[in-house]
Amino acid sequence: MAKLSQATRLAGPVDVATYGEYRIPDTPGPLLRFTGRITADGDFTARPFRYHVYGGWFCPWSHRVAITRALAGLEDIVTMSFVDGERDGRGWAFRDQYGPDPVNGFTLLREVYEATEEGFDGHVCVPALWDRATARLVSNDSRGIGIDLATRFGHLAAPAVRTYPEHLREGIEQLDGWLGPAVNHGVGAAVRPGPARDALLEAFEQLDGRLSRSRYLLGEELTEADVRLWVTLVRYDVGPNAGRTVNPGLHVYPHLWSYARDLYTIPAFRDTTDFATFSRPGALLPDWSAPADR
Ligand SMILES: N[C@@H](CCC(=O)N[C@@H](CS)C(=O)NCC(=O)O)C(=O)O
């Protein structure tokens, strides 16, 4: 077979006139259909170069996986690529800026899902973990992907940080039960006055107190809990709070704000962050490089 040129493996420009606006499918049933896990001896085991993460620079859930992958020292072991930040009715696609699909050569992310399940009619989202060995998606659930990258590859890489250590798992998931709804999922609705805004600002207040007493959320060890929170914090003042409608900015919580900047000094966080991909036009970017003093 002739080798396809790069151009034939790109989706072509976003074309809403032809393909319409992207619509989240309203198919009944769970939207996250792939929830496979990497285990020590099951169908999906940890091997070098076996897995690929399809991500999006704009996407906080992909960002979590990108940070965890870097902290786990897996950049050469689990590959990752990025879809374009714009979409039409065809959904996420591979275009010039972040390049083609390096694994399958597909032009649309939808094809990755369809290659796994014929006629797939669910949610075509990033992040998604692909298995080269069985040629299928393992998971499109960022939580499971993050935990597996953090815990299953220790024999293949030297992690900079173990982000999901056993003794802190309960604390990490407990925090998630609170911060998931109040912050990560609540921040969008907080642009309007109401319970979501109250819960978000109350959470920020409490986090500020907590972070005045410890460097990270669960003490002196950086964990998945920090990764999960941070991807929302870094988007806050240029995304949902770009018009400063929710509050004057993250800086009104001095400990939370210096904690967020402290994390930004770590390459796994800094190098996986591209503000342009998630900033509203004209949004004022706070000084993330100001010394964190922690
Ligand atoms: N709960 C999913 C959420 C992932 C998600 O919402 N991804 C967005 C981009 S940030 C997406 O691809 N959405 C596709 C869609 O809306 O159909 C996870 O944690 O992995």
Side-chain angles (χ1 to χ4, degrees), residues 181-183 185-203 246:
V183 179
H185 292 281
V187 72
V191 297
R192 291 174 299 281
R197 180 181 292 182
D198 299 343
L200 178 74
L201 295 178
E202 169 63 25
V246 187

Side-chain angles (χ1 to χ4, degrees), residues 226-294:
D226 300 293
V227 175
R228 292 177 186 175
L229 173 62
W230 193 80
V231 297
T232 300
L233 297 181
V234 77
R235 283 163 174 75
Y236 179 66
D237 277 329
V238 290
N241 194 40
R244 304 297 182 260
T245 44
V246 187
N247 81 342
L250 219 50
H251 68 269
V252 300
Y253 308 101
H255 302 289
L256 179 61
W257 174 223
S258 70
Y259 153 85
R261 295 199 316 280
D262 185 31
L263 292 178
Y264 187 63
T265 64
I266 301 170
F269 288 75
R270 197 177 53 242
D271 299 346
T272 56
T273 301
D274 181 353
F275 286 99
T277 63
F278 52 75
S279 295
R280 306 260 161 94
L284 201 64
L285 183 67
D287 185 3
W288 278 88
S289 301
D293 264 349
R294 278 175 83 80

Side-chain angles (χ1 to χ4, degrees), residues 14-270:
V14 171
D15 182 354
V16 176
T18 307
Y19 300 105
E21 298 279 356
Y22 179 76
R23 293 210 350 256
I24 292 183
D26 48 12
T27 349
L31 287 178
L32 290 177
R33 291 249 187 105
F34 302 107
T35 51
R37 300 296 298 264
I38 297 174
T39 54
D41 50 12
D43 289 345
F44 303 113
T45 52
R47 298 258 181 282
F49 206 64
R50 177 166 175 180
Y51 300 98
H52 181 79
V53 180
Y54 289 103
W57 283 101
F58 53 87
C59 170
W61 318 103
S62 301
H63 199 175
R64 289 178 171 186
V65 172
I67 294 171
T68 298
R69 166 176 171 259
L71 290 173
L74 296 178
E75 277 150 317
D76 295 328
I77 297 200
V78 176
T79 54
M80 183 160 186
S81 66
F82 298 88
V83 296
D84 190 46
E86 307 288 326
R87 62 185 162 177
D88 53 32
R90 296 172 293 171
W92 300 126
F94 302 95
R95 296 202 174 80
D96 263 346
Q97 193 173 6
Y98 305 118
D101 168 357
V103 181
N104 291 298
F106 294 138
T107 59
L108 302 175
L109 188 65
R110 159 163 301 286
E111 297 171 87
V112 173
Y113 280 74
E114 283 166 353
T116 307
E117 183 183 308
E118 217 179 297
F120 180 79
D121 61 356
H123 193 72
V124 177
C125 61
V126 283
L129 184 72
W130 176 267
D131 176 25
R132 288 184 176 85
T134 56
R136 53 161 297 148
L137 278 179
V138 179
S139 172
N140 61 346
D141 173 24
S142 62
R143 190 175 158 278
I145 300 173
I147 293 173
D148 292 348
L149 295 190
T151 57
R152 293 295 177 188
F153 292 80
H155 58 297
L156 295 173
V161 182
R162 291 187 192 278
T163 50
Y164 205 66
E166 235 155 286
H167 66 287
L168 294 176
R169 282 179 198 175
E170 204 182 312
I172 294 170
E173 298 309 336
Q174 238 165 35
L175 273 178
D176 204 47
W178 165 43
L179 296 176
V183 179
N184 306 119
H185 292 281
V187 72
V191 297
R192 291 174 299 281
R197 180 181 292 182
D198 299 343
L200 178 74
L201 295 178
E202 169 63 25
F204 280 171
E205 198 72 55
Q206 282 193 40
L207 287 169
D208 198 49
R210 186 178 188 114
L211 293 163
S212 70
R213 297 185 293 273
S214 65
R215 184 162 182 188
Y216 302 114
L217 287 175
L218 288 167
E220 298 311 298
E221 285 176 67
L222 167 53
T223 68
E224 274 301 296
D226 300 293
V227 175
R228 292 177 186 175
L229 173 62
W230 193 80
V231 297
T232 300
L233 297 181
V234 77
R235 283 163 174 75
Y236 179 66
D237 277 329
V238 290
N241 194 40
R244 304 297 182 260
T245 44
V246 187
N247 81 342
L250 219 50
H251 68 269
V252 300
Y253 308 101
H255 302 289
L256 179 61
W257 174 223
S258 70
Y259 153 85
R261 295 199 316 280
D262 185 31
L263 292 178
Y264 187 63
T265 64
I266 301 170
F269 288 75
R270 197 177 53 242

